[in-house]
Amino acid sequence: GTGSNILSALQDLFWLLKSKVEKQLQIISVLQWVLTFLIMGIACTLILMYILCTDCWAIAALYLAWLVFDWNTPKKGGRRSQWVRNWAIWRYFRDYFPIRLVKTHNLLTTRNYIFGYHPHGIMGLGAFCNFSTEATGVSQKFPGIRPYLATLAGNFRMPILRDYLMSGGICPVNRDSIDYILSKNGSGNAIIIVVGGAAESLNCIPGKNSVTLKNRKGFVKLALQHGADLVPVYSFGENEVYKQVIFEEGSWGRWVQKKFQKHIGFAPCIFHGRGLFSSNTWGLLPYSKPITTVVGEPINIPKINNPSQKDVDFYHSIYVDSLIKLFDKYKSKFGLPETEVLEVN
């Protein structure tokens, strides 16, 4: 009996230690992505400039020469790496929240797609995990579909960061890149566009489900020009992982944010999550709240080389209705009351 008790105690200790180690690995995996999002581009640029001033300048010079040669690669579909997309670190990243991808309909490999991802949140953590890694099994759930998560083109001007982003299948959210993927890269491509962008990120707070969409019609025009089907995507919980200071319209804080958004492409947010060592302190780590990304039914879009505004408005209204229906269908399944309404701005 004593031996059995000792063995049982050792097993309990083993599982406790294993659980703690896994939790720490989850925290590390999320922290590295947050730091990548916030400072990797600037840090790598400064380090490269420093190396140019040292005896190792030839290394930096060779990389810069490669950068010039490789400059247009992000506009041509990038350079994804299945090895990077399958890193174990992304599974720890997924389990920290956890993040889940829900498929509602099959996608044909003979078509191209534009996914409209909502809401933006602070960092688009659900969009990254689901479509730039294999942690939630996107390739198994949508076999034959190549996802490309579109983000700010400025990120691809940053050394090292650009290569890191491209390895996950991330591309610039600009006309050249989208045109190439949808017209010169065959079929079975899905470009994920976070439609609300920086403007939407300024209003994301826990408990609020709102999207910036009424005047966002450029992605619909692109879909019509390429005959790419539109797919509404809603991530329940994306707004729950960070708390943000919201500046009222007309305040100096909102004025500064809008100036940054207009001239640089992103809006600086004042936000916080939990601390590194305790969930009761403030820090850069997001709160471990579940994020469930639901991929809706594709909307068949005809190919119109020069769509009129009437065409764009018509298919935009269909898209908005589809997104609202998707939200209403799944909201109660993922913790929201039946009375919750998706606010479309």
Side-chain angles (χ1 to χ4, degrees):
T2 302
S4 177
N5 289 337
I6 293 174
L7 181 61
S8 178
L10 288 174
Q11 288 176 335
D12 290 343
L13 180 61
F14 171 78
W15 289 113
L16 180 62
L17 290 174
K18 183 180 178 181
S19 177
K20 286 186 176 181
V21 169
E22 287 186 348
K23 187 61 180 178
Q24 292 306 313
L25 288 173
Q26 291 170 12
I27 289 173
I28 291 169
S29 68
V30 174
L31 180 62
Q32 69 83 26
W33 169 246
V34 171
L35 294 178
T36 295
F37 183 90
L38 294 176
I39 66 172
M40 184 178 179
I42 295 173
C44 288
T45 302
L46 293 175
I47 291 171
L48 197 66
M49 292 172 62
Y50 171 76
I51 293 175
L52 280 171
C53 300
T54 69
D55 293 339
C56 297
W57 63 269
I59 297 174
L62 283 172
Y63 179 79
L64 289 173
W66 161 253
L67 193 63
V68 172
F69 174 78
D70 195 55
W71 190 253
N72 288 324
T73 298
K75 298 178 183 178
K76 297 179 179 180
R79 188 170 47 247
R80 74 175 55 219
S81 166
Q82 286 302 115
W83 176 66
V84 173
R85 287 174 61 89
N86 281 288
W87 277 354
I89 194 172
W90 306 132
R91 294 193 290 275
Y92 289 112
F93 182 99
R94 171 199 67 197
D95 293 339
Y96 173 85
F97 296 93
I99 295 174
R100 180 186 172 204
L101 180 65
V102 176
K103 169 186 173 180
T104 63
H105 291 78
N106 292 325
L107 299 181
L108 300 175
T109 58
T110 55
R111 300 285 294 173
N112 284 324
Y113 301 91
I114 293 179
F115 287 17
Y117 184 91
H118 312 270
H120 183 286
I122 295 292
M123 296 184 186
L125 294 164
F128 169 77
C129 184
N130 284 309
F131 302 113
S132 294
T133 81
E134 293 297 331
T136 56
V138 63
S139 293
Q140 286 72 45
K141 291 178 179 177
F142 300 104
I145 301 297
R146 292 180 299 276
Y148 294 86
L149 177 60
T151 188
L152 288 175
N155 289 325
F156 296 89
R157 302 187 187 103
M158 302 283 190
I160 310 300
L161 175 63
R162 67 189 292 277
D163 301 288
Y164 189 39
L165 295 178
M166 282 194 293
S167 68
I170 300 177
C171 68
V173 62
N174 59 28
R175 183 62 185 261
D176 291 341
S177 178
I178 294 173
D179 283 346
Y180 182 91
I181 293 170
L182 294 181
S183 63
K184 299 178 181 178
N185 202 40
S187 60
N189 302 292
I191 297 180
I192 296 88
I193 299 177
V194 186
V195 178
E200 191 171 84
S201 69
L202 297 178
N203 296 311
C204 64
I205 55 173
K208 185 174 183 178
N209 288 283
S210 66
V211 295
T212 301
L213 182 57
K214 279 184 179 178
N215 297 315
R216 299 295 174 106
K217 301 181 180 180
F219 73 106
V220 178
K221 186 175 182 179
L222 281 169
L224 285 164
Q225 289 172 333
H226 292 283
D229 293 345
L230 289 171
V231 182
V233 179
Y234 197 86
S235 246
F236 295 90
E238 185 72 63
N239 285 346
E240 309 301 314
V241 296
Y242 279 110
K243 296 178 181 178
Q244 180 182 187
V245 176
I246 302 294
F247 294 101
E248 297 295 330
E249 290 292 339
S251 66
W252 68 269
R254 183 53 65 102
W255 179 85
V256 170
Q257 288 176 324
K258 287 189 173 181
K259 286 295 182 183
F260 265 83
Q261 178 190 336
K262 180 179 179 180
H263 297 292
I264 301 178
F266 75 93
C269 303
I270 299 178
F271 65 92
H272 74 84
R274 53 156 289 183
L276 183 59
F277 301 106
S278 172
S279 59
N280 296 320
T281 58
W282 288 10
L284 290 176
L285 277 176
Y287 294 104
S288 53
K289 304 287 186 179
I291 298 174
T292 305
T293 302
V294 184
V295 180
E297 182 178 4
I299 303 165
N300 189 256
I301 302 294
K303 189 176 189 301
I304 305 175
N305 290 328
N306 295 298
S308 65
Q309 189 60 50
K310 185 178 179 180
D311 294 327
V312 173
D313 291 343
F314 175 72
Y315 284 100
H316 181 268
S317 66
I318 293 176
Y319 178 86
V320 173
D321 289 342
S322 296
L323 178 65
I324 293 172
K325 288 177 182 176
L326 180 71
F327 177 85
D328 288 339
K329 182 177 180 180
Y330 289 93
K331 61 186 178 183
S332 61
K333 294 182 181 180
F334 303 119
L336 297 178
E338 283 290 347
T339 54
E340 184 72 18
V341 176
L342 179 63
E343 181 183 328
V344 180
N345 300 312

